[in-house]
């Protein structure tokens, strides 16, 4: 009977040793990166959400797209413009019954702000991990965001306690909660569907801006939220954007919305670059 050649055994052992050394080095780098990230998050004790002397840049800004990017952009633009309009192409029923006493039923509004499906968004109900820094920023922009996510079914998680980590195909044992907090004390996050994330951002924006209260009281609100409204083209004059042409799917009417600034946050279905080129402008695109 033939045995395994000695040279083959030595080569196998050498390969195993090399892989083990590489795994140890990778683990050390991983631990170092975790410590750096945790330290960086700890340094962000206060985010400059609303600078006390924010300079006004105009009267009206329009945001095309009412998903997470568009809603967050609208929140920031409220610092710099008197009125911000969010155009959401899908006909989302944000407030149960439209108005009236249900406007103050926050649980119902929070639920309807997180629809079960979205036509143009993939993996809408798949689980997502909110990056730690993103969670901190969202909580600063929308105080109560994390609690709203939890009310809609999200669960708390820690990147080193609840998450599986693999190095070279080998699963690293999950740390205990105590050990995870020692190594990465600022790496808490939430796990939930994109529906929950988007719904919580939408609920907070509509609530904190006074939009929900305006539906009941009829007072003017700085935020105009328009579901079922699609942007069709930019309107420009002498090379400067003056507004956006929209189509209201609910009333089946078209109109021009004048604006000092238009932000395209419509995602992968964006027509923004085509609109700009139609105006004879060749945009400089960076990726």
């Amino acid at each position: 009977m033939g045995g395994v050649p000695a040279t083959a055994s030595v080569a196998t052992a050498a390969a195993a040793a090399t892989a083990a050394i590489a795994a140890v080095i990778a683990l050390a780098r991983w631990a170092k990166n975790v410590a750096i990230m945790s330290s960086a998050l700890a340094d962000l004790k206060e985010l400059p959400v609303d600078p006390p002397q924010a300079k006004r840049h105009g009267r009206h800004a329009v945001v095309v797209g009412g998903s997470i990017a568009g809603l967050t952009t609208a929140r920031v633009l409220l610092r710099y413009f008197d009125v911000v309009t969010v155009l959401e192409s899908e006909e989302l029923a944000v407030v149960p019954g439209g108005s009236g006493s249900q406007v103050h039923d926050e649980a119902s509004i929070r639920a309807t702000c997180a629809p079960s499906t979205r036509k143009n968004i993939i993996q809408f109900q798949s689980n997502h991990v909110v990056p730690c820094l993103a969670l901190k920023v969202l909580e600063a922009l929308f105080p109560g965001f994390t609690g709203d996510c939890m009310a809609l079914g999200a669960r708390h998680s820690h990147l080193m306690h609840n998450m599986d980590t693999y190095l070279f195909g080998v699963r690293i044992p999950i740390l205990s909660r105590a050990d995870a907090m020692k190594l990465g004390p600022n790496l808490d996050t939430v796990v939930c569907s994109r529906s929950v994330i988007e719904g919580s951002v939408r609920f907070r924006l509509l609530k904190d801006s006074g939009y929900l209260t305006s539906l009941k009281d009829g007072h003017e609100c700085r935020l105009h939220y328009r579901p079922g409204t699609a942007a069709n083209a930019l309107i420009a004059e002498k090379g400067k954007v003056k507004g956006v042409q929209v189509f209201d799917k609910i009333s089946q009417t078209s109109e021009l919305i004048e604006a000092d600034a238009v932000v395209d946050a419509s995602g992968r279905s964006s027509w923004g670059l085509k609109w700009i080129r139609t105006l004879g402008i060749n945009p400089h695109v960076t990726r």
Side-chain angles (χ1 to χ4, degrees), residues 3-283:
V4 178
T7 54
S9 298
V10 172
T12 301
T18 301
I21 293 172
V24 171
I25 294 175
L27 180 60
R29 290 176 177 172
W30 172 73
K32 180 180 179 181
N33 290 337
V34 166
I36 292 173
M37 181 168 61
S38 181
S39 176
L41 289 169
D43 291 339
L44 294 174
K45 295 180 179 179
E46 293 186 7
L47 295 174
V49 177
D50 290 306
Q53 296 180 343
K55 181 181 177 181
R56 288 288 173 181
H57 288 266
R59 192 192 70 83
H60 188 203
V62 171
V63 179
V64 180
S67 190
I68 299 173
L71 297 168
T72 306
T73 299
R75 168 65 180 84
V76 175
L77 288 176
L78 283 171
R79 306 172 183 168
Y80 306 105
F81 292 85
D82 299 327
V83 178
V84 176
T85 298
V86 178
L87 304 177
E88 166 56 59
S89 61
E90 290 192 40
E91 300 177 41
L92 302 179
V94 174
V95 181
S99 60
S101 60
Q102 291 184 340
V103 169
H104 294 293
D105 183 1
E106 291 193 1
S108 297
I109 298 172
R110 188 185 292 109
T112 54
C113 278
S116 58
T117 60
R118 290 290 301 271
K119 296 178 182 178
N120 301 319
I121 299 179
I122 60 175
Q123 300 179 336
F124 194 61
Q125 287 298 341
S126 300
N127 272 341
H128 289 64
V129 178
V130 181
C132 302
L133 179 57
L135 181 63
K136 190 153 189 158
V137 172
L138 288 172
E139 186 64 40
L141 289 172
F142 307 101
F145 167 79
T146 304
D148 293 330
C149 287
M150 300 301 293
L152 290 172
R155 64 181 179 86
H156 279 298
S157 184
H158 190 283
L159 293 185
M160 303 180 67
H161 174 59
N162 304 103
M163 305 289 181
D164 282 343
T165 302
Y166 289 81
L167 287 175
F168 296 97
V170 179
R171 179 175 175 272
I172 297 177
I174 296 177
L175 299 178
S176 67
R177 176 70 180 177
D179 289 339
M181 290 302 293
K182 289 179 181 178
L183 188 57
N186 300 294
L187 301 183
D188 275 310
T189 184
V190 295
V191 178
C192 54
S193 67
R194 173 162 174 167
S195 171
V196 169
I197 301 171
E198 179 182 307
S200 299
V201 171
R202 182 179 292 110
F203 171 71
R204 276 292 143 190
L205 176 65
L206 299 183
K207 182 177 185 297
D208 296 346
S209 66
Y211 175 85
L212 297 178
T213 304
S214 71
L215 293 179
K216 182 177 179 62
D217 300 340
H219 71 266
E220 183 66 21
C221 179
R222 292 181 56 214
L223 176 74
H224 296 173
Y225 181 75
R226 296 189 54 173
T229 306
N232 295 327
L234 290 176
I235 305 300
E237 181 179 311
K238 297 181 180 179
K240 182 178 180 180
V241 174
K242 307 294 286 187
V244 61
Q245 186 75 34
V246 304
F247 178 74
D248 190 317
K249 299 178 181 179
I250 300 174
S251 64
Q252 293 291 298
T253 58
S254 296
E255 64 176 292
L256 168 63
I257 300 179
E258 295 184 355
D260 300 300
V262 177
V263 178
D264 179 17
S266 54
R268 62 193 182 96
S269 61
S270 170
W271 285 74
L273 291 179
K274 294 182 180 179
W275 292 340
I276 293 175
R277 292 190 177 102
T278 300
L279 299 176
I281 302 173
N282 188 19

